[in-house]
Amino acid sequence: MSQTLSSLVETPIGVTRYGLFIDNKFVTPQTEKYIDVTNPATGEVWAQVPDAGAEDVDLAVASARRAFEGEWAGWRAADRAKFLIRFGQAIADNADEIAQLQVDENGKLIREMAGQARLMPEYFNYYAGLAQMPTGNTNPLHLKDIINYTVREPLGVVAAITPWNSPLLLLVWKLGPALAAGNTLIAKPSEITPVSTLRIAELAAEAGLPAGVFNVLTGLGAPGAALTTHEGVDKVAFTGSTSTGQAIASAAGKSLKSVSLELGGKSPNIVFEDADLDSALNGLIAGIFGASGQTCMAGSRILVQESIYDKVVAELVTRTERIKVGDPQSSDSEMGTIACQAQYDKVRHYIEVAKNEGAKLVAGGVPAVVEGFENGLFMRPTVFADVNNDMTIAREEVFGPIAAVIPFTDEADAIRIANDTEFGLAAGVWSTNIQRAHRVAGKLQAGTVWINNYRKTGYSTPFGGFKQSGVGRENGPNALLEYTEEKSVWVDTGQGVKDPFNPRA
Ligand code: NAD
C-alpha cells in the first residue's frame, strides 16, 4: 500500500483518506462524502476517496479552463514534448509503487502490472515525438494570390473517464495525445480504482505541469455524468461499458461535445483445423483468462472448427484446470481476483444463466479457494462447451474468466458466427494458411484482428471498436488529431478585395 501520496490523512477507521486533485493540490471535497477503496484479494478497506459533487465538478472545470487559457497556453509544442518525457521518466522511477497501487485496487497480477507500468513511459515518449510533427496543411487552390493553410488547435478541457480494469494504461492512452496537443484534462477514474490515478496526477505536478492542467475528480458515476453535460468541457474521452457509453453519447450530444468511446466486446477467437494448436491454445487461454477475463478485448467466444473441436475442448480443459489462481502479489500466480464484489456477483450470475440455458460446464464454474485469502474474490477459470451463439453467454459481455466454446463447420460459418454480435472490438484468427488468415481478417467486423496471436496493443497502432464497441480510435498518430480542432486560414497575398460583389475578382 502506498505511503507516498502527499495527501495522507488518517481516518477514524484507520485508513488513508485522499482528497480531490485540483490545481496541483489535494483538496477536501465540498460534499465531504467519501467512498471506501477495497483490496479485492483481502476484502480490506485500505483507503477512502471523495465522492465529488456538482460544486467540486465546477471547481475542477474552472481550474482546467483557467489553466487552458493561462501559462499552459504559452507552452510551445517543444515544451510539452519535454514535459511528456519528464512525466514518463517520473512514472518509470515510481513504476513499482504505481503497479502496487493498482494491484491493491483491482487485484490484477503484480507481474502484469509491473510490465504495464514500465510500458507507460513509452506512450509519453511516442506522443512527445508527435507533439512536434506538423499537423496542418498548405492547400493548393483554384484562386490566384491566395494562400490557404490549416492549423490544428487544442480542443480545450477534456474529461477523461476511465474504468476499473486498467485504470492507468487507459488513462495514459488519453493523457499522451491530449497533453501533446495542448489540452487540459479532468480525469474521472472508476470508484473501484481511484488512488492510482491520484498518484499519477501528483507525479505530473512534480514533473512540472502547471496547476490545473491535469485535475482528478474521484467519485461514483455522478461526477462523470456531470462532466459530460458541463458547458465548460469540450471533449469527453470515455472508456467503459457500452451502456454508460450510450448514456454519455446522448448526454454529450445535447451540447455537441466531441466524444470518443472505447466500449465493451464479445470478441471471437477463431481456431481453424490448420492452426498450430499448441500456440492457439496458449492464445485462447491468454485471450480469455488474462487479467481474470476482465479486459474489453477478451476472446470470450472461442470458435473451433468441428473437425478438431473435441481435441481442442479436451486440451483447453486440461490447461484451464492447471491455471494457478492465487495471491496477485505472488509471481507464481497466473490469475488474480475479480476486481470488486458487484463484478464477482455478475460473473457467478452468468455461470448460472449459462448452465440454465444448456451450455455444458467443462471446467471451473466455482469460486477458487486461496489459502490465507478467505475473503478474496477469486474464481476458477471457467469453460462452457457446446455453446450456441444465441445463448446469453455468447451475446452479453461478462467481463470475467468465462470462455464460451462454439463449434463451426467451415470458413463461411466461422465468419457468420463471429460477426453475429452487436460488438466489434477485436477478433483472433488461428491458421497456418496465410491466404485464409488474411481473407478472414478482411471479413471480420472488428477494430483489431490478431492473426496467430492475441491481446496485443501498442502506442503506435490504433485501437477501438466497430459497432457497439465504440467510436473513435486511441493510440497511433491519428489519436493526437482527435484532441484537436482544425482551423482553416485564408490569406490574400495580392491586391486585396477590389469588388465587394465579386470576391474572386
Ligand atoms: P462503467 O461504464 O460502469 O464505468 C466507467 C466509468 O464511467 C467509471 O469511472 C464510472 O464511474 C463512470 N460512469 C458511470 N456512470 C456514468 C455516467 N452516467 N456518465 C459518465 N460517467 C459515468 O465501466 P466499468 O465497469 O468501470 O468498466 C468495464 C467496462 O469497460 C467493460 O464493458 C469493458 O469492456 C469496458 N472497457 C473497454 C475498453 C476499450 O478500450 N474498449 C477498455 C477497458 C474496459
CSV table of all heavy atoms in Angstrom, one decimal, residues 160-166 170 173-174 188-193 219-228 236 238-245 247-248 251 261-265 294-298 340 343 346 397 399 423 425 463-465 469-470 474, ligand 1:
chain,number,residue,atom,x,y,z
A,160,ALA,N,-11.6,12.9,-19.0
A,160,ALA,CA,-11.1,11.5,-19.3
A,160,ALA,C,-11.8,10.6,-18.3
A,160,ALA,O,-11.3,10.6,-17.1
A,160,ALA,CB,-9.6,11.5,-19.3
A,161,ILE,N,-12.7,9.8,-18.7
A,161,ILE,CA,-13.5,9.0,-17.8
A,161,ILE,C,-13.0,7.5,-18.0
A,161,ILE,O,-13.1,7.0,-19.2
A,161,ILE,CB,-15.0,9.1,-18.0
A,161,ILE,CG1,-15.4,10.6,-17.9
A,161,ILE,CG2,-15.8,8.3,-17.0
A,161,ILE,CD1,-16.9,10.9,-18.2
A,162,THR,N,-12.6,6.9,-17.0
A,162,THR,CA,-11.9,5.5,-17.1
A,162,THR,C,-12.6,4.5,-16.3
A,162,THR,O,-13.2,4.7,-15.3
A,162,THR,CB,-10.4,5.7,-16.8
A,162,THR,OG1,-10.3,6.3,-15.5
A,162,THR,CG2,-9.7,6.4,-17.8
A,163,PRO,N,-12.4,3.2,-16.7
A,163,PRO,CA,-13.0,2.1,-16.0
A,163,PRO,C,-12.0,1.5,-15.0
A,163,PRO,O,-10.8,2.0,-14.8
A,163,PRO,CB,-13.2,1.1,-17.1
A,163,PRO,CG,-12.1,1.3,-18.0
A,163,PRO,CD,-11.7,2.7,-17.9
A,164,TRP,N,-12.3,0.4,-14.3
A,164,TRP,CA,-11.5,-0.1,-13.2
A,164,TRP,C,-10.5,-1.2,-13.7
A,164,TRP,O,-9.7,-1.6,-12.9
A,164,TRP,CB,-12.4,-0.7,-12.1
A,164,TRP,CG,-13.5,-1.6,-12.5
A,164,TRP,CD1,-14.8,-1.2,-12.6
A,164,TRP,CD2,-13.5,-2.9,-12.9
A,164,TRP,NE1,-15.6,-2.2,-13.0
A,164,TRP,CE2,-14.8,-3.3,-13.2
A,164,TRP,CE3,-12.5,-3.9,-13.1
A,164,TRP,CZ2,-15.2,-4.6,-13.7
A,164,TRP,CZ3,-12.8,-5.2,-13.5
A,164,TRP,CH2,-14.1,-5.5,-13.8
A,165,ASN,N,-10.7,-1.8,-14.9
A,165,ASN,CA,-9.9,-2.9,-15.2
A,165,ASN,C,-8.4,-2.6,-15.5
A,165,ASN,O,-7.5,-3.3,-15.2
A,165,ASN,CB,-10.5,-3.7,-16.3
A,165,ASN,CG,-10.6,-3.0,-17.6
A,165,ASN,OD1,-11.0,-1.8,-17.6
A,165,ASN,ND2,-10.2,-3.6,-18.7
A,166,SER,N,-8.2,-1.4,-16.2
A,166,SER,CA,-6.8,-1.0,-16.5
A,166,SER,C,-6.8,0.5,-16.3
A,166,SER,O,-6.7,1.3,-17.3
A,166,SER,CB,-6.4,-1.3,-17.9
A,166,SER,OG,-5.8,-2.5,-18.0
A,170,LEU,N,-5.3,2.9,-19.5
A,170,LEU,CA,-6.3,3.6,-20.3
A,170,LEU,C,-6.3,5.1,-20.1
A,170,LEU,O,-6.7,5.8,-21.0
A,170,LEU,CB,-7.7,2.9,-20.0
A,170,LEU,CG,-7.7,1.4,-20.4
A,170,LEU,CD1,-8.9,0.7,-19.8
A,170,LEU,CD2,-7.6,1.2,-21.9
A,173,TRP,N,-3.5,6.4,-22.3
A,173,TRP,CA,-3.9,6.4,-23.7
A,173,TRP,C,-4.5,7.8,-24.1
A,173,TRP,O,-4.6,8.2,-25.2
A,173,TRP,CB,-4.9,5.3,-24.1
A,173,TRP,CG,-4.3,3.9,-24.1
A,173,TRP,CD1,-3.0,3.6,-23.7
A,173,TRP,CD2,-4.9,2.7,-24.6
A,173,TRP,NE1,-2.8,2.2,-23.9
A,173,TRP,CE2,-3.9,1.7,-24.5
A,173,TRP,CE3,-6.1,2.5,-25.1
A,173,TRP,CZ2,-4.2,0.4,-24.8
A,173,TRP,CZ3,-6.4,1.1,-25.5
A,173,TRP,CH2,-5.5,0.1,-25.4
A,174,LYS,N,-5.1,8.4,-23.0
A,174,LYS,CA,-5.8,9.7,-23.3
A,174,LYS,C,-4.8,10.9,-22.9
A,174,LYS,O,-4.8,11.9,-23.7
A,174,LYS,CB,-7.0,9.8,-22.4
A,174,LYS,CG,-8.0,8.7,-22.7
A,174,LYS,CD,-9.1,8.6,-21.6
A,174,LYS,CE,-10.1,7.5,-22.0
A,174,LYS,NZ,-9.6,6.2,-22.5
A,188,LYS,N,-11.6,11.3,-14.4
A,188,LYS,CA,-12.6,10.7,-13.5
A,188,LYS,C,-12.4,9.2,-13.5
A,188,LYS,O,-13.0,8.5,-14.4
A,188,LYS,CB,-14.0,11.2,-13.9
A,188,LYS,CG,-15.2,10.3,-13.5
A,188,LYS,CD,-15.3,10.2,-12.0
A,188,LYS,CE,-16.4,9.2,-11.6
A,188,LYS,NZ,-15.9,7.8,-11.5
A,189,PRO,N,-11.6,8.7,-12.6
A,189,PRO,CA,-11.4,7.3,-12.6
A,189,PRO,C,-12.6,6.5,-12.0
A,189,PRO,O,-13.4,7.2,-11.3
A,189,PRO,CB,-10.2,7.1,-11.6
A,189,PRO,CG,-10.2,8.3,-10.7
A,189,PRO,CD,-10.9,9.4,-11.5
A,190,SER,N,-12.6,5.2,-12.2
A,190,SER,CA,-13.7,4.4,-11.6
A,190,SER,C,-13.6,4.5,-10.1
A,190,SER,O,-12.5,4.6,-9.5
A,190,SER,CB,-13.5,3.0,-12.0
A,190,SER,OG,-14.3,2.1,-11.2
A,191,GLU,N,-14.8,4.4,-9.4
A,191,GLU,CA,-14.8,4.4,-8.0
A,191,GLU,C,-14.1,3.2,-7.4
A,191,GLU,O,-13.7,3.3,-6.2
A,191,GLU,CB,-16.3,4.4,-7.5
A,191,GLU,CG,-17.2,3.4,-8.1
A,191,GLU,CD,-17.8,3.8,-9.5
A,191,GLU,OE1,-17.1,4.6,-10.3
A,191,GLU,OE2,-18.9,3.4,-9.8
A,192,ILE,N,-13.9,2.2,-8.2
A,192,ILE,CA,-13.2,1.0,-7.7
A,192,ILE,C,-11.7,1.2,-7.6
A,192,ILE,O,-10.9,0.7,-6.8
A,192,ILE,CB,-13.4,-0.2,-8.6
A,192,ILE,CG1,-14.9,-0.4,-8.9
A,192,ILE,CG2,-12.9,-1.5,-8.0
A,192,ILE,CD1,-15.8,-0.8,-7.8
A,193,THR,N,-11.1,2.1,-8.5
A,193,THR,CA,-9.7,2.2,-8.7
A,193,THR,C,-9.2,3.7,-8.8
A,193,THR,O,-8.6,4.1,-9.7
A,193,THR,CB,-9.3,1.5,-10.0
A,193,THR,OG1,-10.1,2.0,-11.1
A,193,THR,CG2,-9.4,0.0,-10.0
A,219,GLY,N,-15.1,9.7,-7.4
A,219,GLY,CA,-16.5,9.6,-7.1
A,219,GLY,C,-17.2,8.5,-7.8
A,219,GLY,O,-16.6,7.8,-8.6
A,220,LEU,N,-18.5,8.3,-7.5
A,220,LEU,CA,-19.3,7.4,-8.2
A,220,LEU,C,-19.6,7.9,-9.7
A,220,LEU,O,-18.8,8.7,-10.2
A,220,LEU,CB,-20.6,7.1,-7.4
A,220,LEU,CG,-20.4,6.6,-6.0
A,220,LEU,CD1,-21.7,6.7,-5.2
A,220,LEU,CD2,-19.8,5.2,-6.0
A,221,GLY,N,-20.7,7.4,-10.3
A,221,GLY,CA,-20.9,7.8,-11.7
A,221,GLY,C,-21.3,9.3,-11.8
A,221,GLY,O,-21.0,9.9,-12.8
A,222,ALA,N,-21.9,9.9,-10.7
A,222,ALA,CA,-22.4,11.3,-10.9
A,222,ALA,C,-21.4,12.3,-11.4
A,222,ALA,O,-21.7,13.1,-12.3
A,222,ALA,CB,-23.1,11.7,-9.6
A,223,PRO,N,-20.2,12.4,-10.8
A,223,PRO,CA,-19.3,13.4,-11.3
A,223,PRO,C,-18.9,13.2,-12.8
A,223,PRO,O,-18.7,14.1,-13.6
A,223,PRO,CB,-18.0,13.3,-10.4
A,223,PRO,CG,-18.2,12.1,-9.6
A,223,PRO,CD,-19.7,11.8,-9.6
A,224,GLY,N,-18.9,11.9,-13.2
A,224,GLY,CA,-18.7,11.6,-14.6
A,224,GLY,C,-19.8,12.1,-15.5
A,224,GLY,O,-19.6,12.8,-16.5
A,225,ALA,N,-21.0,11.9,-15.0
A,225,ALA,CA,-22.2,12.3,-15.8
A,225,ALA,C,-22.2,13.9,-15.8
A,225,ALA,O,-22.5,14.5,-16.8
A,225,ALA,CB,-23.5,11.8,-15.1
A,226,ALA,N,-21.8,14.5,-14.7
A,226,ALA,CA,-21.9,16.0,-14.6
A,226,ALA,C,-20.8,16.5,-15.6
A,226,ALA,O,-21.1,17.6,-16.3
A,226,ALA,CB,-21.6,16.5,-13.2
A,227,LEU,N,-19.7,15.9,-15.8
A,227,LEU,CA,-18.7,16.4,-16.7
A,227,LEU,C,-19.2,16.3,-18.2
A,227,LEU,O,-18.9,17.1,-19.0
A,227,LEU,CB,-17.4,15.5,-16.6
A,227,LEU,CG,-16.5,15.8,-15.4
A,227,LEU,CD1,-15.5,14.7,-15.2
A,227,LEU,CD2,-15.9,17.2,-15.5
A,228,THR,N,-20.0,15.2,-18.4
A,228,THR,CA,-20.4,15.0,-19.8
A,228,THR,C,-21.4,16.1,-20.3
A,228,THR,O,-21.6,16.3,-21.5
A,228,THR,CB,-21.0,13.6,-20.1
A,228,THR,OG1,-22.2,13.5,-19.3
A,228,THR,CG2,-20.1,12.5,-19.8
A,236,VAL,N,-15.3,14.6,-24.3
A,236,VAL,CA,-15.3,13.5,-23.3
A,236,VAL,C,-14.6,12.3,-24.0
A,236,VAL,O,-15.0,11.9,-25.1
A,236,VAL,CB,-16.8,13.1,-23.0
A,236,VAL,CG1,-16.8,12.0,-22.0
A,236,VAL,CG2,-17.5,14.3,-22.4
A,238,PHE,N,-14.0,8.6,-23.2
A,238,PHE,CA,-14.5,7.6,-22.3
A,238,PHE,C,-14.1,6.2,-22.6
A,238,PHE,O,-14.1,5.8,-23.8
A,238,PHE,CB,-16.1,7.7,-22.3
A,238,PHE,CG,-16.7,6.6,-21.5
A,238,PHE,CD1,-16.8,6.7,-20.2
A,238,PHE,CD2,-17.3,5.5,-22.2
A,238,PHE,CE1,-17.4,5.7,-19.4
A,238,PHE,CE2,-17.9,4.5,-21.4
A,238,PHE,CZ,-18.0,4.6,-20.0
A,239,THR,N,-13.7,5.5,-21.6
A,239,THR,CA,-13.6,4.0,-21.7
A,239,THR,C,-14.4,3.4,-20.6
A,239,THR,O,-14.3,3.7,-19.5
A,239,THR,CB,-12.1,3.6,-21.6
A,239,THR,OG1,-11.3,4.3,-22.5
A,239,THR,CG2,-11.9,2.1,-21.8
A,240,GLY,N,-15.2,2.5,-21.0
A,240,GLY,CA,-16.1,1.8,-20.1
A,240,GLY,C,-17.1,0.9,-20.8
A,240,GLY,O,-16.9,0.5,-21.9
A,241,SER,N,-18.2,0.7,-20.1
A,241,SER,CA,-19.2,-0.2,-20.6
A,241,SER,C,-20.0,0.4,-21.8
A,241,SER,O,-20.1,1.7,-21.8
A,241,SER,CB,-20.2,-0.7,-19.5
A,241,SER,OG,-20.9,0.4,-19.0
A,242,THR,N,-20.6,-0.4,-22.6
A,242,THR,CA,-21.4,0.1,-23.7
A,242,THR,C,-22.6,0.9,-23.2
A,242,THR,O,-23.0,1.9,-23.7
A,242,THR,CB,-21.8,-1.1,-24.6
A,242,THR,OG1,-20.6,-1.6,-25.2
A,242,THR,CG2,-22.8,-0.6,-25.7
A,243,SER,N,-23.2,0.4,-22.1
A,243,SER,CA,-24.4,1.1,-21.6
A,243,SER,C,-24.1,2.5,-21.1
A,243,SER,O,-24.8,3.5,-21.4
A,243,SER,CB,-25.2,0.3,-20.5
A,243,SER,OG,-24.3,0.1,-19.5
A,244,THR,N,-23.0,2.7,-20.4
A,244,THR,CA,-22.6,4.0,-19.9
A,244,THR,C,-22.1,4.8,-21.1
A,244,THR,O,-22.5,6.0,-21.2
A,244,THR,CB,-21.4,3.9,-18.9
A,244,THR,OG1,-21.8,3.0,-17.9
A,244,THR,CG2,-21.1,5.3,-18.3
A,245,GLY,N,-21.5,4.2,-22.1
A,245,GLY,CA,-21.1,5.0,-23.3
A,245,GLY,C,-22.3,5.5,-24.1
A,245,GLY,O,-22.2,6.7,-24.6
A,247,ALA,N,-25.1,6.3,-22.7
A,247,ALA,CA,-25.7,7.4,-21.9
A,247,ALA,C,-24.8,8.7,-22.1
A,247,ALA,O,-25.3,9.8,-22.3
A,247,ALA,CB,-25.7,7.0,-20.4
A,248,ILE,N,-23.5,8.5,-22.2
A,248,ILE,CA,-22.6,9.7,-22.4
A,248,ILE,C,-22.8,10.3,-23.7
A,248,ILE,O,-22.9,11.5,-23.9
A,248,ILE,CB,-21.1,9.2,-22.2
A,248,ILE,CG1,-20.9,9.0,-20.7
A,248,ILE,CG2,-20.2,10.2,-22.7
A,248,ILE,CD1,-19.5,8.4,-20.4
A,251,ALA,N,-26.0,12.3,-23.7
A,251,ALA,CA,-25.9,13.5,-22.8
A,251,ALA,C,-25.0,14.5,-23.5
A,251,ALA,O,-25.3,15.7,-23.6
A,251,ALA,CB,-25.3,13.1,-21.5
A,261,LEU,N,-15.4,7.0,-27.6
A,261,LEU,CA,-15.9,6.0,-26.8
A,261,LEU,C,-15.2,4.7,-27.0
A,261,LEU,O,-15.2,4.2,-28.2
A,261,LEU,CB,-17.4,5.8,-27.1
A,261,LEU,CG,-18.3,7.0,-26.9
A,261,LEU,CD1,-19.7,6.7,-27.5
A,261,LEU,CD2,-18.5,7.4,-25.5
A,262,GLU,N,-14.6,4.1,-26.0
A,262,GLU,CA,-14.0,2.8,-26.1
A,262,GLU,C,-14.8,1.9,-25.2
A,262,GLU,O,-14.8,2.0,-24.0
A,262,GLU,CB,-12.5,2.8,-25.6
A,262,GLU,CG,-11.6,3.7,-26.4
A,262,GLU,CD,-11.2,3.1,-27.7
A,262,GLU,OE1,-11.5,2.0,-28.0
A,262,GLU,OE2,-10.7,3.9,-28.5
A,263,LEU,N,-15.5,1.0,-25.8
A,263,LEU,CA,-16.6,0.3,-25.0
A,263,LEU,C,-16.3,-1.2,-25.0
A,263,LEU,O,-15.2,-1.7,-25.1
A,263,LEU,CB,-17.9,0.6,-25.7
A,263,LEU,CG,-18.2,2.1,-25.8
A,263,LEU,CD1,-19.5,2.4,-26.5
A,263,LEU,CD2,-18.1,2.8,-24.5
A,264,GLY,N,-17.4,-2.0,-24.7
A,264,GLY,CA,-17.3,-3.4,-24.4
A,264,GLY,C,-17.0,-4.3,-25.7
A,264,GLY,O,-17.0,-3.8,-26.8
A,265,GLY,N,-17.0,-5.6,-25.4
A,265,GLY,CA,-16.7,-6.5,-26.5
A,265,GLY,C,-17.2,-7.9,-26.2
A,265,GLY,O,-17.6,-8.2,-25.1
A,294,GLN,N,-11.1,-9.9,-17.3
A,294,GLN,CA,-11.6,-8.5,-17.2
A,294,GLN,C,-10.9,-7.5,-18.2
A,294,GLN,O,-10.3,-6.6,-17.8
A,294,GLN,CB,-11.5,-8.0,-15.8
A,294,GLN,CG,-12.2,-9.0,-14.8
A,294,GLN,CD,-11.8,-8.7,-13.4
A,294,GLN,OE1,-12.7,-8.3,-12.6
A,294,GLN,NE2,-10.6,-9.0,-13.0
A,295,THR,N,-11.0,-7.9,-19.4
A,295,THR,CA,-10.4,-7.0,-20.4
A,295,THR,C,-11.5,-6.8,-21.5
A,295,THR,O,-12.2,-7.8,-21.9
A,295,THR,CB,-9.1,-7.6,-21.1
A,295,THR,OG1,-9.4,-8.7,-21.8
A,295,THR,CG2,-8.1,-7.9,-20.1
A,296,CYS,N,-11.5,-5.6,-22.1
A,296,CYS,CA,-12.5,-5.3,-23.1
A,296,CYS,C,-12.3,-6.2,-24.3
A,296,CYS,O,-13.2,-6.6,-25.0
A,296,CYS,CB,-12.4,-3.9,-23.5
A,296,CYS,SG,-10.7,-3.4,-24.0
A,297,MET,N,-11.0,-6.6,-24.5
A,297,MET,CA,-10.7,-7.4,-25.8
A,297,MET,C,-10.7,-8.9,-25.5
A,297,MET,O,-10.3,-9.6,-26.4
A,297,MET,CB,-9.3,-6.9,-26.3
A,297,MET,CG,-8.2,-7.2,-25.3
A,297,MET,SD,-6.7,-6.4,-25.7
A,297,MET,CE,-6.9,-4.8,-25.0
A,298,ALA,N,-11.2,-9.3,-24.3
A,298,ALA,CA,-11.2,-10.7,-24.0
A,298,ALA,C,-11.8,-11.6,-25.2
A,298,ALA,O,-12.8,-11.2,-25.7
A,298,ALA,CB,-12.0,-11.0,-22.7
A,340,CYS,N,-14.1,-6.5,-7.9
A,340,CYS,CA,-15.0,-6.0,-6.9
A,340,CYS,C,-16.2,-6.9,-6.7
A,340,CYS,O,-16.4,-7.8,-7.6
A,340,CYS,CB,-15.5,-4.6,-7.3
A,340,CYS,SG,-16.5,-4.5,-8.8
A,343,GLN,N,-18.9,-7.2,-9.5
A,343,GLN,CA,-18.4,-7.9,-10.7
A,343,GLN,C,-18.4,-9.4,-10.4
A,343,GLN,O,-18.7,-10.2,-11.2
A,343,GLN,CB,-17.1,-7.4,-11.1
A,343,GLN,CG,-16.6,-7.9,-12.5
A,343,GLN,CD,-17.5,-7.5,-13.6
A,343,GLN,OE1,-18.3,-6.6,-13.5
A,343,GLN,NE2,-17.5,-8.3,-14.6
A,346,LYS,N,-21.7,-10.7,-10.6
A,346,LYS,CA,-22.2,-10.7,-12.0
A,346,LYS,C,-21.6,-12.0,-12.7
A,346,LYS,O,-22.3,-12.7,-13.4
A,346,LYS,CB,-21.7,-9.4,-12.7
A,346,LYS,CG,-22.2,-9.2,-14.1
A,346,LYS,CD,-21.8,-7.8,-14.6
A,346,LYS,CE,-21.8,-7.8,-16.1
A,346,LYS,NZ,-21.1,-6.6,-16.6
A,397,GLU,N,-21.6,-9.3,-22.7
A,397,GLU,CA,-20.2,-9.2,-22.2
A,397,GLU,C,-20.3,-9.5,-20.7
A,397,GLU,O,-21.0,-8.9,-19.9
A,397,GLU,CB,-19.7,-7.8,-22.3
A,397,GLU,CG,-18.2,-7.7,-21.9
A,397,GLU,CD,-17.7,-6.2,-21.9
A,397,GLU,OE1,-18.4,-5.3,-21.4
A,397,GLU,OE2,-16.6,-6.0,-22.4
A,399,PHE,N,-17.3,-10.0,-18.8
A,399,PHE,CA,-16.1,-9.3,-18.2
A,399,PHE,C,-15.6,-10.1,-17.0
A,399,PHE,O,-15.4,-9.6,-15.9
A,399,PHE,CB,-16.5,-7.9,-17.8
A,399,PHE,CG,-15.4,-6.9,-18.0
A,399,PHE,CD1,-14.9,-6.7,-19.3
A,399,PHE,CD2,-14.9,-6.1,-17.0
A,399,PHE,CE1,-13.9,-5.7,-19.5
A,399,PHE,CE2,-13.9,-5.2,-17.2
A,399,PHE,CZ,-13.4,-5.0,-18.5
A,423,PHE,N,-21.3,-6.4,-30.9
A,423,PHE,CA,-20.0,-5.8,-30.6
A,423,PHE,C,-19.0,-5.9,-31.8
A,423,PHE,O,-19.3,-6.6,-32.7
A,423,PHE,CB,-19.3,-6.4,-29.4
A,423,PHE,CG,-20.1,-6.3,-28.1
A,423,PHE,CD1,-20.8,-7.3,-27.6
A,423,PHE,CD2,-20.1,-5.0,-27.5
A,423,PHE,CE1,-21.5,-7.2,-26.4
A,423,PHE,CE2,-20.9,-4.9,-26.3
A,423,PHE,CZ,-21.6,-5.9,-25.7
A,425,LEU,N,-15.1,-5.2,-31.2
A,425,LEU,CA,-13.9,-4.6,-30.7
A,425,LEU,C,-12.7,-5.4,-31.3
A,425,LEU,O,-11.7,-4.7,-31.8
A,425,LEU,CB,-13.9,-4.7,-29.2
A,425,LEU,CG,-12.7,-3.9,-28.5
A,425,LEU,CD1,-12.9,-2.4,-28.9
A,425,LEU,CD2,-12.7,-4.0,-27.0
A,463,PHE,N,-6.4,1.7,-31.7
A,463,PHE,CA,-7.3,0.7,-31.0
A,463,PHE,C,-8.6,1.3,-30.8
A,463,PHE,O,-8.8,2.4,-30.4
A,463,PHE,CB,-6.7,0.3,-29.6
A,463,PHE,CG,-7.4,-0.8,-28.9
A,463,PHE,CD1,-7.3,-2.1,-29.3
A,463,PHE,CD2,-8.4,-0.5,-28.0
A,463,PHE,CE1,-8.0,-3.1,-28.7
A,463,PHE,CE2,-9.1,-1.5,-27.3
A,463,PHE,CZ,-8.9,-2.8,-27.7
A,464,GLY,N,-9.7,0.5,-31.1
A,464,GLY,CA,-11.1,1.0,-31.0
A,464,GLY,C,-12.0,0.0,-31.6
A,464,GLY,O,-11.6,-1.0,-32.1
A,465,GLY,N,-13.3,0.3,-31.5
A,465,GLY,CA,-14.3,-0.7,-31.9
A,465,GLY,C,-15.2,-0.3,-33.1
A,465,GLY,O,-15.4,0.9,-33.4
A,469,SER,N,-19.0,-1.3,-30.0
A,469,SER,CA,-17.8,-1.3,-29.2
A,469,SER,C,-17.1,0.1,-29.2
A,469,SER,O,-16.0,0.2,-28.6
A,469,SER,CB,-16.8,-2.4,-29.7
A,469,SER,OG,-17.3,-3.7,-29.4
A,470,GLY,N,-17.7,1.0,-29.9
A,470,GLY,CA,-17.1,2.4,-29.7
A,470,GLY,C,-17.1,3.2,-30.9
A,470,GLY,O,-17.5,2.9,-32.0
A,474,GLU,N,-8.0,5.1,-30.2
A,474,GLU,CA,-6.9,5.6,-29.3
A,474,GLU,C,-5.6,5.0,-29.9
A,474,GLU,O,-5.6,4.0,-30.6
A,474,GLU,CB,-7.2,5.2,-27.9
A,474,GLU,CG,-8.4,5.8,-27.3
A,474,GLU,CD,-8.5,5.8,-25.8
A,474,GLU,OE1,-8.6,4.7,-25.3
A,474,GLU,OE2,-8.5,6.9,-25.2
B,1,NAD,P1,-18.6,1.6,-16.4
B,1,NAD,O1,-19.2,2.1,-17.7
B,1,NAD,O2,-19.5,1.1,-15.4
B,1,NAD,O3,-17.8,2.8,-15.7
B,1,NAD,C1,-16.7,3.5,-16.4
B,1,NAD,C2,-16.6,4.9,-15.8
B,1,NAD,O4,-17.7,5.7,-16.1
B,1,NAD,C3,-16.4,4.9,-14.3
B,1,NAD,O5,-15.4,5.9,-14.0
B,1,NAD,C4,-17.8,5.3,-13.8
B,1,NAD,O6,-17.8,5.9,-12.5
B,1,NAD,C5,-18.2,6.3,-14.9
B,1,NAD,N1,-19.6,6.5,-15.0
B,1,NAD,C6,-20.6,5.7,-14.6
B,1,NAD,N2,-21.8,6.2,-15.0
B,1,NAD,C7,-21.6,7.3,-15.7
B,1,NAD,C8,-22.4,8.3,-16.4
B,1,NAD,N3,-23.7,8.2,-16.5
B,1,NAD,N4,-21.8,9.3,-17.0
B,1,NAD,C9,-20.4,9.4,-17.1
B,1,NAD,N5,-19.6,8.5,-16.4
B,1,NAD,C10,-20.2,7.5,-15.7
B,1,NAD,O7,-17.5,0.6,-16.8
B,1,NAD,P2,-16.6,-0.3,-15.8
B,1,NAD,O8,-17.5,-1.4,-15.2
B,1,NAD,O9,-15.8,0.6,-14.9
B,1,NAD,O10,-15.6,-1.0,-16.8
B,1,NAD,C11,-15.8,-2.2,-17.5
B,1,NAD,C12,-16.3,-1.9,-18.9
B,1,NAD,O11,-15.3,-1.1,-19.6
B,1,NAD,C13,-16.5,-3.1,-19.8
B,1,NAD,O12,-17.6,-3.0,-20.5
B,1,NAD,C14,-15.3,-3.1,-20.7
B,1,NAD,O13,-15.4,-3.8,-21.9
B,1,NAD,C15,-15.0,-1.7,-20.9
B,1,NAD,N6,-13.7,-1.4,-21.3
B,1,NAD,C16,-13.4,-1.0,-22.7
B,1,NAD,C17,-12.1,-0.8,-23.1
B,1,NAD,C18,-11.9,-0.4,-24.5
B,1,NAD,O14,-10.8,0.1,-24.8
B,1,NAD,N7,-12.8,-0.6,-25.5
B,1,NAD,C19,-11.1,-1.0,-22.2
B,1,NAD,C20,-11.3,-1.4,-20.9
B,1,NAD,C21,-12.6,-1.6,-20.5
